[in-house]
Amino acid sequence: MSVLVPTMGALHKGHQALIKRARMLSKEVVVSIFINPLQFEDPTEITKYPRTPERDIELATLAGATEIWMPEYEEIYPGEIKKLKASSLGDSYEGASRPGHFDGVVTVVNRLFEIVRPQASIFGEKDFQQLQIIHAMKSPVEIIGVPTVREYDGLALSSRNIRLSQSGRMSANVIYRAMTAARLAPTIAIAQEIIDTTISTEIGFKCDYAVIIDEADFSLATDSTKHKRAIIAGWIDGVRLIDNMRMGA
Ligand code: PAF
């Protein structure tokens, strides 16, 4: 069976963890590298997206990829694009801040699945809302989530981190600090207060949202919610950072 690891390139250790997981499942691991214009609501973002193809090939191969596929635009979108609509899980948070983003993601993921026809596909938990929306596509492809890989100070690995200034980089683990401080709080209200207070101390961080949600439907969690998750997004130096963590023991 083949396993697909879809990426937009600028690979790092987080992607390598996805590829290694794929390799544990299969001898055939396809890594796709395609910067999908449909998921960039701001056209200037796509021009800023880092492109490191030689290094990508090296890192993917080292992690165990058996095929690295860098399709051209026309291969993914020949003729008129049939845009898919993401599940309503995509209406809030990332979806609200980045209109059309998740429709672009499900459209490209569907095309990648149509072309590669993998049995399974691997995605990072770092983009937790994306992962849940891809699950909700109800495709016959098995969807597997892999835990977030972090820097020494807790910052989630992301291709965007290299755009942070030196001081921005030092502040950027505020999201991780807020989530770990709140994780074992006895109630949602206390956990939320800890998150808000931690974030407010970092003046360089412009918060977009910082909430604790029910993983099943992205509604706000209550104390009786089974699986609660903190999801946080914001900007430092104009660079968008997002992260999440399961709350509770
Ligand atoms: O998470 C990403 O890198 C992208 O959203 C994905 C899943 C490769 C689709 O373009």
Side-chain angles (χ1 to χ4, degrees):
M1 77 161 197
S2 79
V3 178
L4 172 66
V5 182
T7 80
M8 297 206 297
L11 301 191
H12 49 64
K13 287 197 182 109
H15 296 104
Q16 286 191 302
L18 308 183
I19 300 167
K20 284 180 189 164
R21 180 64 192 276
R23 197 54 205 263
M24 282 162 71
L25 299 169
S26 173
K27 287 201 188 86
E28 261 179 71
V29 175
V30 181
V31 174
S32 63
I33 300 180
F34 177 66
I35 303 180
N36 174 34
L38 262 54
Q39 68 189 77
F40 289 84
E41 67 293 352
D42 171 1
T44 60
E45 275 289 309
I46 194 162
T47 56
K48 284 191 243 158
Y49 205 84
R51 286 164 172 79
T52 55
E54 275 115 51
R55 186 155 169 72
D56 290 349
I57 293 171
E58 193 185 323
L59 292 183
T61 309
L62 282 173
T66 54
E67 186 184 335
I68 299 161
W69 177 47
M70 298 179 172
E72 294 296 330
Y73 178 89
E74 289 72 26
E75 199 174 343
I76 301 294
Y77 300 123
E80 202 190 322
I81 300 170
K82 272 193 263 138
K83 253 199 173 183
L84 300 190
K85 177 99 193 74
S87 114
S88 58
L89 291 179
D91 293 348
S92 52
Y93 306 115
E94 283 307 286
S97 296
R98 306 179 62 189
H101 169 69
F102 286 128
D103 294 345
V105 170
V106 294
T107 302
V108 77
V109 167
N110 180 60
R111 280 296 295 140
L112 297 171
F113 287 178
E114 275 178 356
I115 299 168
V116 178
R117 303 207 166 276
Q119 275 77 47
S121 188
I122 317 277
F123 296 86
E125 273 180 14
K126 175 175 174 290
D127 295 301
F128 185 72
Q129 199 175 2
Q130 166 174 284
L131 176 64
Q132 297 301 75
I133 287 166
I134 293 171
H135 271 296
M137 286 169 70
K138 303 228 177 298
S139 134
V141 177
E142 186 188 355
I143 305 301
I144 297 165
V146 168
T148 304
V149 180
R150 300 181 179 282
E151 298 278 8
Y152 67 95
D153 64 346
L155 174 66
L157 294 195
S158 162
S159 313
R160 293 186 175 139
N161 293 351
I162 50 167
R163 283 162 49 198
L164 291 166
S165 67
Q166 212 174 355
S167 70
R169 172 63 191 85
M170 279 165 72
S171 317
N173 75 344
V174 62
I175 301 183
Y176 179 74
R177 282 189 274 120
M179 296 189 302
T180 43
R183 192 167 72 85
L184 297 177
T187 65
I188 288 281
I190 295 173
Q192 186 66 58
E193 200 179 315
I194 293 171
I195 289 174
D196 295 343
T197 310
T198 311
I199 280 176
S200 67
T201 59
E202 200 58 74
I203 44 165
F205 182 66
K206 187 168 167 284
C207 186
D208 183 5
Y209 56 80
V211 287
I212 301 168
I213 51 110
D214 181 336
E215 289 183 4
D217 61 6
F218 282 76
S219 61
L220 287 178
T222 65
D223 288 326
S224 56
T225 300
K226 190 159 173 222
H227 294 306
K228 311 171 187 62
R229 192 170 284 258
I231 58 167
I232 301 182
W235 297 267
I236 289 185
D237 299 330
V239 178
R240 188 170 177 83
L241 301 175
I242 73 166
D243 202 351
N244 64 84
M245 185 180 284
R246 168 79 63 86
M247 293 285 104

